[in-house]
Structure formats: C-alpha cells, structure tokens
Amino acid sequence: AQTVTQSQPEMSVQEAETVTLSCTYDTSESDYYLFWYKQPPSRQMILVIRQEAYKQQNATENRFSVNFQKAAKSFSLKISDSQLGDAAMYFCAYLAGATNKLIFGTGTLLAVQP
Amino acid sequence: KAGVTQTPRYLIKTRGQQVTLSCSPISGHRSVSWYQQTPGQGLQFLFEYFSETQRNKGNFPGRFSGRQFSNSRSEMNVSTLELGDSALYLCASSLAIGGTYEQYFGPGTRLTVT
C-alpha cells in the first residue's frame, strides 16, 4: 500500500526567508504524481505544485519549488521569500496514475513570523 | 467559472440519524472524489466517481455510500451516524481521471454528530 509521511508537524519561518517542508512516500508503482496542497484557516484546499514521477526536472511555481528525489522517495517543498499569506497547513499527497485517489500525509503547519 | 460548491456548509445531526451531503463540480468536470478530514485520522479518501460510475472506494464501512448523477453532481450519504463521523467532508472535481488533471476542492461540509 502507498503511504505518505510528513515528519514535521509544525514549522516556523521569518517573513522573506526560505523554508523547506519534508515529505517521503512509499510506492511500488512506476506511474504516479506527487502534490503539495495548502489548506489555510478557511479550510479551502489549494494546489500549490505538482510533480510527475516520470519527469526528472523539479517542478517550480513562482516562489514554490520541489526537490524530487525519486530513488530516495523524497519530495520536499521549498518556499522562497515567505509571505504572511503562506501561513497554512501544507499537505503532501500521492496519486497513482490511473486514479483520482489522493493519499495525503499528516500535514505540516507553517507559521510565518513578521 | 464557478468553483466546486458543497451544500450544506454546516450540519448538526444526532447519533443514529442519516445525512446526505451534496457536491456540485465545476462545469464540464466529470470526476468527483470525496474525502473525510478529522484531527485524528487526517485526510482519508472515501469515493471516486466518473461518469456516474464509482471507480474507487476507500476503507470505510458500508454506512458510507455515494452516487453521481448524469449532470456530474454527486451526493454522499452516511447512515446510522456515529460520534466518530464528525468531520469536515471535502469533495474535489476534475475534468477526468489521472494526475494530469488538476483536482479542485470545494469548501467542505462540516458535520457535527451529537
């Protein structure tokens, strides 16, 4: 069975600084996708970034980038130039290729200090 | 384009009752997935529907059921409610099946069972 592990329940970063959130996963599938979702206090789940397993290049979306280490089954999220609006719960998620079933980690609560 | 809508947003029910939650996907989206979010168990996958067919089901008891209509709207039903069913229920819609299609989440229905 596929699993997703986030070992950092809480993280804190100063505004304008950089922070990295960790995620590891386990799967025997070759076709899969990895995601980072953000859930602010409003509880609206928002997609931050997506990585296709077959792509070696790390995904980047503006201030957000990932470090995808396929052999190590590691998928970390780097947030650069942190802003107050980045404060939220961040979930790492896995999806096997032919489904829409997301398997989520337990989340990391990110606080941004002014 | 309107986002994913879920009704009702808040619900209070008594143990033993049943409840029906509704999810209206983004126009044109044919896939709807449901998730349960609790502080103890985190985000857990409930069902996945595509074109009125249930394609995947999570590890939940038979009291949890769902369906999808021809207009892609989906409902989930929980019978004989238990205290442990108190949760935020999220639905997500996407154009089709697979990780290349972004899943858009609704605001959720907060169910409280007393």
Side-chain angles (χ1 to χ4, degrees), chain B residues 11-12 14 19-20 25 33 38 42-43 53 61 63 80 83 90 93 102 109:
Chain B
L11 204 49
I12 299 175
T14 305
V19 68
T20 299
S33 300
T38 61
L43 279 153
T53 301
R63 300 184 297 107
T80 319
L83 294 178
L90 295 167
S93 81
E102 181 173 344
T109 293

Side-chain angles (χ1 to χ4, degrees), chain A residues 5-13 18-24 36-38 48 64-67 74-79 86 88-92 107-111:
Chain A
T5 302
Q6 293 179 251
S7 58
Q8 305 155 315
E10 296 182 18
M11 293 281 285
S12 183
V13 63
T18 296
V19 65
T20 298
L21 308 184
S22 301
C23 173
T24 59
W36 279 97
Y37 280 90
K38 169 185 177 181
V48 174
F64 298 88
S65 61
V66 298
N67 184 2
S74 169
F75 182 62
S76 60
L77 174 70
K78 184 171 84 170
I79 305 175
D86 295 334
M89 182 72 87
Y90 285 81
F91 291 97
C92 178
T108 296
L109 183 61
L110 177 66

